[in-house]
Amino acid sequence: MSKNPYDWIDKSLQTIHRANWYRSLTEAKSLPRGMIEINNRCLINFASNNYLGLAGDQRLIDAAVSATKIHGTGSTGSRLLSGHSTLHSQLEAALAKLKGTEDALVFSSGYLTNLGVITALIGQRDLIIGDEYNHSSLKQGARVSQATVLEYTHNCVEEIKELLSQYRHKYRRCLIITDTIFSMDGDLCQVPKLIQLAENYDSMLLVDEAHATGVMGKTGAGCVEYFDCTGKEIIQVGTLSKALGSLGGYVAGSKKLIDFLRNRASSWIYTTALSPADTAAALKAVEIIQTDNSRQTSLWQNINYLKTELEALLQPQLLPSFSPIICINYQKPQQALDVAAYLKNHGIFAPAIRPPTVATSRIRLSVMATHQQEDLQTLIKVLKAQPLS
Ligand SMILES: *Cc1c(COP(=O)(O)O)cnc(C)c1O
């Protein structure tokens, strides 16, 4: 009797179901004013990374359409061959200016940026020290690099110092990696202390500003700007797909770093250049956040309002947050799923985030500049009336 070599997939899926870890897709359509359409219903959207509402902005749409008309839909080649265009040069110059660095390089996604940058800089003889709550792309990059990887307790600077003093001398190079705004928690890493430690222990520092770009800092440059660390020689990565409303990733840093990465980052070299539409939209977004901070101001008004209200309502369950990402903690995955279903019944889209994505189950709310005051009030009212919890 021949055995089907794919049978194990069914068993694996059953295990995922039993653990309440099963995930599936929902078709959704983003609407203006922080709303989303799901199954023909209009819900208030607390699940979007479109913090500034730029993904639906007419200026970005026009930039993407016009770039498509001029340059076509595809960039048709890798950057080092035929795919490099003036749009890429302009976007990279704009990102470097925003970040206060000498140069920048755009990748096809934030995920590919982290894979490419980490594996180019670090190898078998090296050490990576990273926060246990780091984004999957940082962890995956660390794994693929074949370096020795040590994880520290979330945000524990003391532990990083211990690891550095104990292990740094045994390795050739060392790279410390961290999210700046932690994507599933909403708290911040301590950029200045990390920079100090990296300097003291002859280590490189890579900070992932995916959720912070456009959100933190006076000009929206991110947490490095927020903590007044602009100009330090570190490696700043991020995405064009969150507050910037487009698609793609970037790394910003010194000229020599970027020059090296153009020669060594395989997820940049051996892939097709970013499309004209994505590049032009991101370029427009960077221009907008640098010339007009009204969206950032509205975003922070909404964050502060919602945080104050939530703290009054369910303080012990709130995870520490200094960003648009605000999480309500639950003991069991099923509780978080029940609350998410209850919210959805009441016109609010705020999904449950569960293991294995995070250690503890939660409702993750992300605030947008385009949320209306009455919609934030609706969320509070609905949470207040909630029978479970
Ligand atoms: C979203 C995210 C990424 C991945 O960016 P994409 O452009 O969506 O691939 C990387 N790092 C962090 C911290 C993120 O939140």
Side-chain angles (χ1 to χ4, degrees):
M1 212 169 62
S2 75
K3 204 168 156 268
N4 181 327
Y6 304 98
D7 276 350
W8 65 270
I9 297 177
D10 276 326
K11 289 210 185 71
S12 252
L13 276 170
Q14 282 161 19
T15 309
I16 294 168
H17 274 292
R18 271 199 303 275
N20 248 333
W21 284 10
Y22 184 74
R23 294 149 157 77
S24 60
L25 289 169
T26 324
E27 282 184 10
K29 179 168 173 255
S30 262
L31 302 173
R33 295 157 66 91
M35 305 293 287
I36 188 167
E37 188 186 309
I38 296 174
N39 298 331
N40 296 317
R41 280 182 67 212
C42 226
L43 307 170
I44 309 169
N45 187 4
F46 286 101
S48 176
N49 297 322
N50 184 19
Y51 298 117
L52 301 176
L54 286 174
D57 190 282
Q58 194 58 47
R59 293 165 290 180
L60 271 72
I61 295 170
D62 290 345
V65 168
S66 127
T68 304
K69 285 184 175 159
I70 296 167
H71 300 277
T73 48
S75 61
T76 74
S78 66
R79 288 284 297 280
L80 289 173
L81 297 176
S82 62
H84 177 59
S85 81
T86 172
L87 286 172
H88 299 117
S89 301
Q90 286 173 38
L91 176 57
E92 285 167 350
L95 286 166
K97 188 170 161 225
L98 175 70
K99 298 285 170 177
T101 58
E102 289 175 355
D103 207 351
L105 189 64
V106 294
F107 287 67
S108 302
S109 76
Y111 206 107
L112 286 170
T113 309
N114 283 335
L115 279 186
V117 172
I118 294 170
T119 55
L121 298 175
I122 286 290
Q124 249 172 2
R125 293 150 64 196
D126 304 323
L127 176 65
I128 291 179
I129 297 181
D131 192 289
E132 62 175 336
Y133 286 3
N134 274 347
H135 188 262
S136 160
S137 55
L138 291 172
K139 293 191 179 209
Q140 192 64 18
R143 231 172 271 137
V144 175
S145 78
Q146 300 190 323
T148 299
V149 181
L150 302 174
E151 279 195 344
Y152 54 89
T153 310
H154 177 50
N155 253 337
C156 185
V157 173
E158 268 312 301
E159 198 176 323
I160 308 174
K161 191 175 171 192
E162 268 171 45
L163 292 173
L164 283 166
S165 66
Q166 207 175 333
Y167 297 104
R168 170 66 190 98
H169 66 278
K170 297 185 176 161
Y171 296 89
R172 182 182 58 167
R173 297 178 202 139
C174 176
L175 177 69
I176 303 169
I177 54 177
T178 182
D179 289 23
T180 57
I181 291 180
F182 285 89
S183 55
M184 290 300 141
D185 295 76
D187 54 346
L188 312 181
C189 81
Q190 304 175 60
V191 178
K193 288 185 184 165
L194 295 179
I195 291 178
Q196 195 56 54
L197 278 177
E199 280 175 6
N200 293 351
Y201 287 90
D202 182 30
S203 298
M204 300 179 283
L205 172 65
L206 181 152
V207 296
D208 185 338
E209 297 262 47
H211 289 275
T213 302
V215 169
M216 303 295 294
K218 222 167 57 222
T219 69
C223 281
V224 172
E225 180 185 35
Y226 173 78
F227 284 111
D228 230 349
C229 297
T230 308
K232 296 278 183 190
E233 189 171 5
I234 59 173
I235 303 159
Q236 303 179 54
V237 298
T239 180
L240 307 174
S241 68
K242 290 176 175 141
L244 298 179
S246 182
L247 181 68
Y250 64 82
V251 54
S254 69
K255 250 188 173 32
K256 67 181 181 219
L257 171 77
I258 302 303
D259 200 25
F260 175 79
L261 291 172
R262 275 194 293 257
N263 287 279
R264 281 294 161 83
S266 47
S267 70
W268 181 84
I269 298 170
Y270 300 105
T271 199
T272 302
L274 205 58
S275 80
D278 292 324
T279 313
L283 177 59
K284 182 54 78 180
V286 175
E287 278 170 24
I288 291 171
I289 66 170
Q290 286 216 289
T291 50
D292 168 16
N293 64 4
S294 63
R295 283 172 182 258
Q296 205 189 354
T297 306
S298 311
L299 173 65
W300 279 97
Q301 278 167 356
N302 284 346
I303 295 169
N304 291 331
Y305 172 78
L306 193 62
K307 245 184 93 170
T308 309
E309 293 290 313
L310 285 170
E311 273 164 4
L313 187 62
L314 29 80
Q315 176 66 279
Q317 272 172 281
L318 278 193
L319 299 181
S321 161
F322 303 91
S323 74
I325 301 163
I326 304 174
C327 293
I328 310 169
N329 207 30
Y330 294 93
Q331 300 272 306
K332 300 205 177 79
Q334 194 56 50
Q335 289 175 299
L337 288 171
D338 290 345
V339 176
Y342 164 81
L343 290 173
K344 204 166 171 187
N345 282 336
H346 290 78
I348 293 162
F349 187 56
I353 311 285
R354 294 163 284 157
T357 306
V358 289
T360 58
S361 298
R362 65 202 60 184
I363 293 289
R364 178 180 180 272
L365 300 163
S366 61
V367 184
M368 292 165 71
T370 46
H371 278 139
Q372 307 293 298
Q373 174 86 14
E374 63 261 32
D375 293 336
L376 301 178
Q377 283 163 352
T378 301
L379 171 67
I380 297 297
K381 214 172 62 202
V382 169
L383 280 171
K384 242 181 215 164
Q386 157 191 205
L388 331 132
S389 153

